[in-house]
Amino acid sequence: MFTLKTTQLTKLCLIGQMQIQQLIENVSKDYSQIIGEFCLYSKEINLNYVYQILSILNMNLLPKIMSTCEEFFIKNHTRKPKHILVELHYNLSKFLCVLEAFPHACASQDIQYDQKKCVIVKELAKKEQIEHAYQLILSAIQSAQAMMQKKSETETKIFRGIIHNLGPIYYMLAKKQGLLKAHQLMAEPKVELAFAVWNMGESGLAKHLMPIIFPSIKYKQCIYIPRYFKLINLEYVKYYQKHYMGIITPPQPLIDKIPKLLSFYQLIEAGEDRVKIRILNSEALTISPSSSLQNYYQDPLIQLTRTSFIDRLFHKTTNKTYENIIIHIHGGGFVSMSSRSHQTYTRLLANSLGLPIFSIDYRLSPQYSFPAALDDCWQAYLWIIHFSLHYFNITPKKIILIGDSAGGNLCAALTMLCIRENVYLPSGIILAYPALNLDPKNFNMYQFVSLDDGLLPHTFLKLCVKSYIQDETLDYKDSLISPSEAIDEVLQQFPQAYILTGTNDPLHGDTWRLLNRLINLGRKCKMYKYDYMPHGFLNFYNLIPNGEQCINDIIQIVKDILST
């Protein structure tokens, strides 16, 4: 039965390749009416995108599928039939990804990549050196993917434990088998397996080994803050989308009543329905004298009380007060990782800049879908503005937001929310390879980098968006979901923004869209474009030649923001 289906698939691929070749020839003659029926959302057709997509199908994917099908019929297989079928499944998943994007590509506009004055191009190393380093990183990631796939196929609990601990090492040595298992996972990933791979550093042996690579830090403290402020929930988002989409809402009260503040001892204990924040600093933070700060800050929301004896045991008083702070929001596709795993570079920033870093641990999808993560960041941001001085020697006058990947999305969305609600804005935001567009209809060709990206494969990307945005009635063009789609009135109030991006990143194209819009509106914005760099480079900067330059650039950017 399967042989018959494989034969039929081979014939279809051959016919499809011939038809696509004919389409390419017609497109080159500007016969746009031939593909007009594919354009679902606009009368205008982007022939440039159409030609590129047809070329990907004709020159890359269809030949691979046909080659794999032909290999299946050879009597003396060099590979097991099962292995061939896995490879076929993997290539077919890419093929389907391209087909799904085709109608959106027809209607999408080209992105301008010519803002030379606002783009700083950096080549950290030769292309071959970066690719070689990234391949070593991918080998480790693929061994973890292979382990997860093999573990899911094993029923015995003892063997599952052995595979979990020793599987990555085995597949690092048996690279062919590891790559095959990784492709099996990536072709049609299950939610729990896909996200477990990204969360490897948060559990098991890896969790205990990670601190070895963390830079040392003098002060580290986790606090758990209550939700004092207006909730950003689905009801809020849907009401806004229905009544205020395309305009700025009138500001509403952020808080119903003045809260009774917790003691510091209560704050460091995990509580129900609280937001976790990891605080890092190059020296110990202390409780500030309440009487002097109350007059200095004059915040009517704050009820300052005398610090208790148990609080004073935790901290000693000091005369130093921090007026500049960093708020960090971690990446992980909205579904994985934490402030803990990002200490590879957040500790380095804290030590180098001598500034406190508040790193937010938001709730993860799919257990908590949009806008739960954004609400956590909102609650944390407002708490830091209004209440941090009660507990620490901090009076936040200048705040810098830093976020990578999904954290970049949340940083930008949080800034949009502050503009909507007339809240004190950060002095600047730094977005590292941010996910600025979650709308599948808003296409650009860089998204196809994910077809062959082992760290951020196209199937994982779709899972992340599906897990984060679970309510299909939501408008993806809402700036709280896709910040690059914000209305001009919001972007005109945007603080100075800096974007770090690699040219081998599937999210690279969307960063240009936001850059172009901010520049056209006269806002201060710069992009640091790192040639050949992949997604997620801050997390493994020390494994890429001269990767520490990315950290140095962030340090300099922070200094530039604070100096203005």
Side-chain angles (χ1 to χ4, degrees):
M1 175 61 73
F2 187 83
T3 304
L4 176 62
K5 289 184 178 181
T6 308
T7 305
Q8 293 172 344
L9 179 61
T10 306
K11 291 180 179 179
L12 286 173
C13 288
L14 182 59
I15 295 170
Q17 191 173 22
M18 294 172 63
Q19 291 177 339
I20 288 175
Q21 182 62 43
Q22 185 178 1
L23 269 176
I24 292 175
E25 294 174 359
N26 289 333
V27 169
S28 64
K29 297 176 183 178
D30 201 23
Y31 290 152
S32 58
Q33 68 274 13
I34 296 175
I35 54 172
E37 62 188 85
F38 293 106
C39 188
L40 305 180
Y41 307 105
S42 173
K43 293 181 180 179
E44 296 182 2
I45 298 172
N46 189 326
L47 291 178
N48 180 37
Y49 279 176
V50 170
Y51 184 85
Q52 290 184 62
I53 289 178
L54 292 177
S55 297
I56 289 172
L57 291 172
N58 184 53
M59 303 298 294
N60 188 348
L61 295 179
L62 281 175
K64 285 182 178 179
I65 293 172
M66 289 179 62
S67 175
T68 308
C69 290
E70 290 169 359
E71 183 183 358
F72 185 82
F73 293 106
I74 298 174
K75 291 183 179 180
N76 298 321
H77 294 298
T78 56
R79 297 189 294 171
K80 294 180 180 179
K82 180 181 177 181
H83 295 174
I84 299 173
L85 297 182
V86 168
E87 200 63 30
L88 179 62
H89 190 193
Y90 177 61
N91 285 318
L92 283 173
S93 72
K94 295 182 183 181
F95 184 78
L96 290 174
C97 175
V98 176
L99 288 184
E100 288 173 1
F102 190 76
H104 309 304
C106 290
S108 297
Q109 297 180 348
D110 287 323
I111 299 175
Q112 297 179 1
Y113 300 101
D114 57 355
Q115 301 283 3
K116 294 181 180 178
K117 292 182 179 179
C118 300
V119 178
I120 300 172
V121 181
K122 296 203 171 187
E123 185 175 323
L124 303 183
K126 292 182 179 179
K127 181 180 180 180
E128 296 77 14
Q129 292 176 305
I130 294 177
E131 287 180 347
H132 176 71
Y134 188 49
Q135 278 304 126
L136 295 177
I137 296 167
L138 282 183
S139 295
I141 294 171
Q142 287 170 349
S143 68
Q145 293 171 339
M147 177 275 291
M148 285 295 179
Q149 180 62 34
K150 183 64 178 177
K151 183 180 174 182
S152 69
E153 299 169 358
T154 306
E155 296 182 0
T156 308
K157 187 175 181 180
I158 296 175
F159 287 149
R160 286 170 62 88
I162 294 172
I163 292 170
H164 184 85
N165 290 303
L166 299 180
I169 299 174
Y170 169 76
Y171 286 117
M172 280 288 286
L173 299 174
K175 292 185 178 180
K176 287 186 178 180
Q177 291 91 327
L179 184 61
L180 192 71
K181 283 291 180 187
H183 284 177
Q184 188 175 350
L185 175 65
M186 288 188 283
E188 195 173 356
K190 295 179 181 178
V191 171
E192 62 274 12
L193 294 183
F195 301 159
V197 172
W198 284 350
N199 261 325
M200 283 283 289
E202 306 290 342
S203 62
L205 183 62
K207 180 178 180 179
H208 298 290
L209 293 177
M210 278 200 75
I212 298 174
I213 63 173
F214 291 160
S216 61
I217 191 86
K218 283 188 178 181
Y219 184 84
K220 51 183 179 179
Q221 178 68 63
C222 290
I223 60 174
Y224 303 84
I225 61 137
R227 299 176 189 277
Y228 290 143
F229 301 91
K230 174 170 63 176
L231 296 178
I232 307 301
N233 50 26
L234 273 177
E235 183 182 0
Y236 170 90
V237 173
K238 288 186 175 182
Y239 184 84
Y240 175 87
Q241 290 188 356
K242 182 178 180 181
H243 297 283
Y244 296 107
M245 198 70 166
I247 60 174
I248 297 180
T249 61
Q252 302 292 328
L254 298 177
I255 198 166
D256 294 330
K257 60 182 179 179
I258 298 176
K260 182 179 180 181
L261 300 185
L262 303 176
S263 70
F264 182 79
Y265 181 72
Q266 293 171 314
L267 196 69
I268 62 174
E269 287 188 334
E272 186 178 354
D273 197 30
R274 294 204 206 167
V275 182
K276 180 181 178 182
I277 303 176
R278 184 183 304 272
I279 306 174
L280 304 172
N281 197 37
S282 56
E283 57 184 70
L285 295 178
T286 64
I287 293 179
S288 302
S290 59
S291 56
S292 62
L293 281 181
Q294 188 173 27
N295 295 328
Y296 177 76
Y297 196 73
Q298 295 182 343
D299 193 325
L301 291 178
I302 296 179
Q303 284 184 327
L304 292 174
T305 57
R306 183 178 297 175
T307 56
S308 65
F309 173 73
I310 192 70
D311 289 338
R312 293 181 183 276
L313 287 179
F314 279 93
H315 290 86
K316 295 179 180 179
T317 58
T318 181
N319 293 324
K320 182 175 182 180
T321 301
Y322 291 93
E323 295 183 346
N324 304 321
I325 64 169
I326 292 172
I327 297 178
H328 170 262
I329 307 177
H330 70 83
F334 306 103
V335 299
S336 65
M337 306 184 81
S338 69
S339 65
R340 181 183 183 277
S341 55
H342 282 65
Q343 289 180 98
T344 48
Y345 72 87
T346 53
R347 287 191 178 193
L348 196 59
L349 293 177
N351 287 332
S352 300
L353 290 164
L355 298 176
I357 294 183
F358 291 75
S359 194
I360 303 169
D361 274 309
Y362 52 86
R363 288 169 290 176
L364 301 176
S365 301
Q367 184 177 0
Y368 300 100
S369 60
F370 173 85
L374 180 58
D375 181 60
D376 290 348
C377 297
W378 166 254
Q379 299 291 336
Y381 182 81
L382 291 176
W383 185 93
I384 291 167
I385 291 175
H386 293 292
F387 300 129
S388 60
L389 75 159
H390 173 58
Y391 301 95
F392 306 104
N393 50 321
I394 291 172
T395 56
K397 285 187 174 181
K398 285 192 174 182
I399 299 172
I400 297 175
L401 291 183
I402 299 179
D404 64 286
S405 193
N409 173 289
L410 291 169
C411 273
L414 176 61
T415 305
M416 310 285 183
L417 190 56
C418 290
I419 294 171
R420 283 187 188 181
E421 298 292 339
N422 197 26
V423 171
Y424 180 76
L425 289 175
S427 301
I429 65 173
I430 303 172
L431 310 176
Y433 37 87
L436 297 173
N437 165 44
L438 302 187
D439 185 0
K441 297 177 184 178
N442 203 349
F443 174 85
N444 68 82
M445 288 301 297
Y446 267 100
Q447 293 172 7
F448 285 153
V449 172
S450 65
L451 293 176
D452 296 301
D453 193 327
L455 175 64
L456 205 63
H458 59 98
T459 49
F460 282 29
L461 278 174
K462 287 192 288 186
L463 273 184
C464 289
V465 175
K466 188 176 180 180
S467 298
Y468 184 55
I469 310 295
Q470 295 180 17
D471 190 328
E472 296 181 356
T473 64
L474 291 174
D475 188 345
Y476 283 83
K477 291 188 179 299
D478 188 335
S479 60
L480 302 187
I481 298 174
S482 299
S484 62
E485 295 296 309
I487 59 175
D488 288 348
E489 288 77 6
V490 170
L491 291 181
Q492 283 170 346
Q493 300 180 50
F494 217 63
Q496 54 183 309
Y498 295 81
I499 302 172
L500 282 68
T501 179
T503 57
N504 281 9
D505 183 354
L507 307 183
H508 179 72
D510 295 318
T511 61
W512 282 90
R513 185 175 282 116
L514 179 63
L515 177 76
N516 290 328
R517 293 195 61 199
L518 288 172
I519 291 172
N520 292 338
L521 291 169
R523 305 307 298 166
K524 184 176 181 180
C525 184
K526 281 188 179 181
M527 173 187 285
Y528 285 70
K529 182 167 75 79
Y530 301 98
D531 286 342
Y532 323 122
M533 290 289 274
H535 187 80
F537 53 77
L538 289 182
N539 290 90
F540 42 80
Y541 74 91
N542 51 348
L543 301 177
I544 293 180
N546 303 316
E548 66 277 0
Q549 181 60 49
C550 303
I551 305 297
N552 294 335
D553 288 337
I554 293 178
I555 293 170
Q556 187 57 52
I557 291 170
V558 171
K559 291 178 179 178
D560 291 343
I561 294 173
L562 295 178
S563 66
T564 56

